[in-house]
Amino acid sequence: MSFYRKYELLDALPSGEIKRFRGREVATGRNVVAHLMVAGRTPANQALLAALERLEAGPRAAIVEIGEHEGTPYAVTDPL
């Protein structure tokens, strides 16, 4: 399913190279934060994605989804 069918982006949040948006999961209405790695699969973004995948169960529970949409890697998390 398309990223934009799963998530509605509401407001941009202050960010650097990774664009962040407050949003909502369409299916459940749950509030989320979408972290879009618009620079693509750079070494830094690859390292971050790998670190997210290695998180233990407790911290990993805050991650809703890790994926890629049209060449842009992303992570969707619970609001921090």
Side-chain angles (χ1 to χ4, degrees), residues 21-32:
F21 297 87
R22 187 174 41 198
R24 183 176 56 224
E25 186 176 38
V26 173
T28 64
R30 171 169 58 169
N31 291 325
V32 297

Side-chain angles (χ1 to χ4, degrees), residues 4-76:
Y4 292 103
R5 288 182 185 241
K6 289 182 185 179
Y7 305 104
E8 178 183 11
L9 302 184
L10 302 173
D11 299 310
L13 297 170
S15 59
E17 290 184 27
I18 297 175
K19 302 300 178 193
R20 298 177 3 174
F21 297 87
R22 187 174 41 198
R24 183 176 56 224
E25 186 176 38
V26 173
T28 64
R30 171 169 58 169
N31 291 325
V32 297
V33 176
H35 310 265
L36 305 177
M37 299 169 199
V38 295
R41 291 197 167 273
T42 65
N45 287 345
Q46 290 285 77
L48 176 58
L49 290 168
L52 291 175
E53 293 285 354
R54 288 191 306 268
L55 286 174
E56 294 183 19
R60 177 99 167 120
I63 298 173
V64 176
E65 179 179 17
I66 297 170
E68 187 171 312
H69 176 73
E70 296 181 358
T72 300
Y74 65 85
V76 177

